[in-house]
């Protein structure tokens, strides 16, 4: 059984003068412990899809299923990591990490204990009482990911979490994310604009069309776990990247 399943999702935004179709019959799934990426042209509705999964938007059509139950329009069932770290500047690092647990009903003391346990594991030991502005962009994203990881929801939706980082930091964060994920194997749905990032991280990749978005192809990534950066030198990696790039180019030019 899939952990998360989207069945025929349609969505249209209604403005004062026109209706704008954004999603058209999007069907996809994420199995338990699976890392799945979505990639598509800019403006193709990827973030809208996450808002629907998280219950912030009710789709114009279709259903969201979680653990075999229809949960369309229900909030609080996934953990979410946005494009920016979205840390509260007045809260300490440990308090930012603890926030998702507190919202879920865990006592503040227990949530802080869990944050203190985990921060050294992600290379942030010694920063527990600092404020976010002290940290680099990559370190702030670690805090944001850890906050999502420690929330009780089993499905994590990551919305271009490394898009604002420089190339070297981004590559380091990709390896870091894989290392942490392989220790926990949460179910992850990951949005990215980077084809290389999607292939390196994922078990499967869905490629979306231009708006109104629909799935135009699904790829199974042919590399075993645990995965290391040397996989990027594999000819199969380049073949898959070129295939996906060709699909996206056709969508952009169409």
């Amino acid at each position: 059984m899939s952990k998360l399943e989207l069945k025929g999702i349609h969505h249209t935004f209604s403005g004062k003068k026109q209706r704008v179709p954004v999603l058209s019959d999007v069907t996809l799934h994420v199995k338990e412990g699976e890392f799945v990426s979505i990639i598509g042209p800019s403006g193709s509705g990827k973030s809208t899809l996450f808002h629907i999964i998280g219950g912030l938007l009710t789709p114009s059509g279709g259903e969201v299923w979680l653990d075999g139950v229809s949960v369309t329009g229900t909030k609080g069932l996934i953990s979410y990591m946005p494009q920016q770290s979205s840390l509260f500047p007045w809260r300490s690092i440990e308090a930012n990490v603890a926030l998702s647990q507190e919202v879920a009903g865990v006592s503040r003391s227990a949530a802080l204990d869990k944050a203190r346990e985990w921060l050294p594991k992600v290379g942030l030991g010694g920063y527990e009482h600092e404020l976010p502005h002290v940290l680099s962009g990559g370190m702030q994203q670690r805090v944001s990911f850890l906050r999502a990881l420690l929330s009780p929801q089993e499905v994590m939706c990551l919305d271009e979490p490394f898009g604002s980082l420089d190339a070297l930091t981004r590559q380091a964060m990709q390896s870091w994310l894989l290392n942490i994920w392989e220790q926990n194997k949460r179910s992850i749905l990951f949005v990215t604009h980077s084809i290389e990032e999607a292939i390196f991280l994922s078990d499967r990749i869905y490629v979306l069309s231009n708006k109104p978005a629909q799935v135009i192809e699904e790829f199974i990534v042919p590399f075993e776990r645990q995965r290391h950066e040397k996989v990027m030198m594999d000819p199969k990696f380049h073949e898959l990247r070129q295939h996906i790039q060709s699909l996206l180019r056709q969508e952009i030019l169409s």
Side-chain angles (χ1 to χ4, degrees), residues 32-34 114 117-118 121-122 145-146 149-150 154 156 176-188 226:
E32 185 169 358
E34 191 177 30
K114 180 65 73 172
E117 174 191 342
W118 269 89
K121 296 180 182 180
V122 299
F145 178 79
L146 184 55
L149 182 69
L150 295 183
E154 285 296 320
M156 300 178 67
W176 175 85
L177 171 60
L178 269 190
N179 181 54
I180 296 297
W181 173 75
E182 284 172 347
Q183 296 175 39
N184 295 271
K185 288 293 178 77
R186 298 280 285 279
S187 303
I188 290 182
Q226 295 179 343

Side-chain angles (χ1 to χ4, degrees), residues 87 93 97 124 135 139-147:
L87 303 179
I93 299 306
V97 171
L124 291 170
L135 304 185
M139 294 167 78
Q140 289 184 22
Q141 289 299 85
R142 291 189 195 188
V143 175
S144 183
F145 178 79
L146 184 55
R147 179 175 60 189

Side-chain angles (χ1 to χ4, degrees), residues 105-118:
V106 176
S107 71
R108 180 173 174 79
S109 61
L112 287 171
D113 285 345
K114 180 65 73 172
R116 291 166 189 151
E117 174 191 342
W118 269 89

Side-chain angles (χ1 to χ4, degrees), residues 63-101:
E63 294 182 310
V64 179
W65 286 66
L66 194 62
D67 292 329
V69 177
S70 178
V71 297
T72 312
T74 306
K75 301 181 182 70
L77 300 180
I78 63 162
S79 61
Y80 175 69
M81 182 178 173
Q83 296 177 18
Q84 303 298 326
S85 60
S86 300
L87 303 179
F88 289 108
W90 61 87
R91 290 179 70 118
S92 66
I93 299 306
E94 65 180 18
N96 268 287
V97 171
L99 183 61
S100 62
Q101 299 170 80

Side-chain angles (χ1 to χ4, degrees), residues 171 200 223 228-239:
Q171 190 169 15
F200 178 55
F223 304 116
H228 304 282
E229 290 182 9
K230 64 182 180 181
V231 75
M232 296 182 182
M233 305 303 294
D234 192 305
K236 293 180 181 177
F237 189 100
H238 294 285
E239 290 173 11

Side-chain angles (χ1 to χ4, degrees), residues 120-141:
K121 296 180 182 180
V122 299
L124 291 170
Y127 290 94
E128 290 87 350
H129 303 296
E130 299 289 354
L131 294 176
H133 74 270
V134 172
L135 304 185
S136 68
M139 294 167 78
Q140 289 184 22
Q141 289 299 85

